[in-house]
Amino acid sequence: MPLMGPREMFEAAYAGRYAVGAFNVNNMEIVQGIMRAASGEKSPVILQVSSGARKYAGQAYIMKLVEAALTEDPSVPVVVHLDHGPSFEMCRDCIDGGFTSVMIDGSHLPYEENVALTQKVVDYAHAKKVWVEAELGKLAGVEEHVRSDGHVYTDPEQAVDFVDRTGCDSLAVAIGTSHGAYKFKGEAKLDFERLEAISDKLPDYPLVLHGASSVPQDFVSLCNRYGGQVGGAKGVPEDMLRKAAALGVCKINVDTDIRLALTASIRQFMAENPGKFDPRDYLSPARDAVKNMVARKMRNVMGSSGKA
Ligand code: G3H
Ligand code: 13P
Ligand code: ZN
């Protein structure tokens, strides 16, 4: 199956009240781990590429890795998406380079500027039949090109105006999640009333949840046991993600959990095998750790297993 856009994926997810996982990819082992999970689970999947990933691996390398992965199991429905596109130019380069979906992230801009930038990307993308995700509201924490110290939750009325005026195809909303491994100081809490209000005002419209890693405590413990210092890390509880999926969230973004799975595995291997130095020895179990984590998430959190 060639790469596809998200439309059919999200229509099915919306109707079935499940979500499609969007996983950040940076190298071959991550692409393979995610794709093997999707293949085993018979799940649709979104591979997303941040501007940092483009800089690290190079867009051409990533696209070739995805192409190679598709030949391993052509039955997996795959979208390739630009995550947090910072500018029109980067969105354009990704569209021209074969991405089937882009995110323009103008969430840090004043409202009218976010509208104008998103409209510009939508005009270019739609002429080439490419999907556009935009963002309204601010997540706390560090986004790759913008630091926001506090949340600014998405206003439901403004979300309707934004979607109407920009024509964006999906919208990332701020309801209390944040990027990274330290999402909540105390108890985890999301503003589900707000999510429901946005979803009610935008019926049949796919919403997106960023900062949605669950930060599994077994990975945190493994990292800490083998020399890491990620104490106090806390993510979004899995039942909250399932609830979000039932309220119009069709795309759930995960990067931190991939980083934790890889790093926990590599730390453990290094500590237990001090004499080994062949990268294949530690990257193979690390790749399996990503695969197992993603497969579990597709089954138990996204609800996307068996939907390919
Ligand atoms: O939302 C941000 C993603 O986790 C990507 O992070 O910019 O370090 O690649 P990155
Ligand atoms: P996490 O940091 O929770 O994995 O979020 C990733 C994300 O939103 C990528 O856009
Ligand atoms: Zn994000």
Side-chain angles (χ1 to χ4, degrees), residues 265-287:
S265 169
I266 291 172
R267 278 196 175 282
Q268 181 173 14
F269 185 93
M270 294 295 187
E272 290 176 351
N273 301 276
K276 294 205 170 169
F277 52 87
D278 181 338
R280 293 169 297 189
D281 287 342
Y282 55 85
L283 290 175
S284 300
R287 177 173 57 190

Side-chain angles (χ1 to χ4, degrees), residues 105-163:
D105 183 356
S107 60
H108 55 292
L109 297 171
Y111 182 67
E112 289 300 329
E113 288 176 37
N114 189 2
V115 169
L117 178 60
T118 302
Q119 272 170 347
K120 188 172 173 190
V121 172
V122 166
D123 284 348
Y124 189 82
H126 284 185
K128 306 208 169 200
K129 300 200 174 358
V130 170
W131 186 273
V132 179
E133 174 184 323
E135 180 168 333
L136 187 62
K138 286 193 190 106
L139 271 61
V142 183
E143 301 213 7
E144 62 197 42
H145 60 286
V146 58
R147 188 186 165 81
S148 52
D149 289 320
H151 297 277
V152 179
Y153 286 0
T154 308
D155 177 73
E157 299 283 349
Q158 201 175 47
V160 175
D161 182 69
F162 187 84
V163 169

Side-chain angles (χ1 to χ4, degrees), residues 11 55 59 87 134 160 173 184 199 206 218 260 265 277 294 299:
E11 278 173 6
K55 199 164 156 201
Q59 180 171 309
S87 62
V160 175
V173 294
F184 303 101
S199 192
D218 46 344
L260 285 170
S265 169
F277 52 87
V294 171
R299 214 175 312 131

Side-chain angles (χ1 to χ4, degrees), residues 65-287:
L65 288 172
V66 174
E67 200 183 298
L70 282 170
T71 61
E72 262 189 7
D73 183 353
S75 71
V76 179
V78 183
V79 165
V80 175
H81 171 80
L82 170 65
D83 188 30
H84 293 285
S87 62
F88 168 78
E89 289 72 20
M90 194 179 293
C91 291
R92 184 192 57 202
D93 290 351
C94 289
I95 292 165
D96 294 348
F99 282 48
T100 55
S101 175
V102 293
M103 174 188 190
I104 178 67
D105 183 356
S107 60
H108 55 292
L109 297 171
Y111 182 67
E112 289 300 329
E113 288 176 37
N114 189 2
V115 169
L117 178 60
T118 302
Q119 272 170 347
K120 188 172 173 190
V121 172
V122 166
D123 284 348
Y124 189 82
H126 284 185
K128 306 208 169 200
K129 300 200 174 358
V130 170
W131 186 273
V132 179
E133 174 184 323
E135 180 168 333
L136 187 62
K138 286 193 190 106
L139 271 61
V142 183
E143 301 213 7
E144 62 197 42
H145 60 286
V146 58
R147 188 186 165 81
S148 52
D149 289 320
H151 297 277
V152 179
Y153 286 0
T154 308
D155 177 73
E157 299 283 349
Q158 201 175 47
V160 175
D161 182 69
F162 187 84
V163 169
D164 274 356
R165 287 175 60 197
T166 63
C168 64
D169 302 294
S170 53
L171 186 69
V173 294
I175 57 161
T177 61
S178 56
H179 292 105
Y182 305 92
K183 300 189 191 297
F184 303 101
K185 287 212 179 78
E187 205 189 323
K189 201 170 172 301
L190 298 184
D191 190 343
F192 283 108
E193 264 176 49
R194 184 176 297 271
L195 179 61
E196 206 165 350
I198 298 168
S199 192
D200 284 350
K201 285 185 186 299
L202 291 168
D204 295 325
Y205 188 85
L207 301 175
V208 177
L209 202 59
H210 281 249
S213 276
S214 292
V215 187
Q217 291 302 303
D218 46 344
F219 296 148
V220 173
S221 306
L222 270 183
C223 283
N224 288 335
R225 187 177 328 146
Y226 293 109
Q229 293 184 349
V230 284
K234 196 184 254 186
V236 183
E238 293 183 347
D239 60 324
M240 289 193 182
L241 297 172
R242 285 190 288 267
K243 188 168 169 187
L247 289 172
V249 169
C250 293
K251 174 173 177 272
I252 290 185
N253 284 11
V254 174
D255 187 0
T256 297
D257 288 353
I258 298 170
R259 298 175 180 196
L260 285 170
L262 269 176
T263 304
S265 169
I266 291 172
R267 278 196 175 282
Q268 181 173 14
F269 185 93
M270 294 295 187
E272 290 176 351
N273 301 276
K276 294 205 170 169
F277 52 87
D278 181 338
R280 293 169 297 189
D281 287 342
Y282 55 85
L283 290 175
S284 300
R287 177 173 57 190

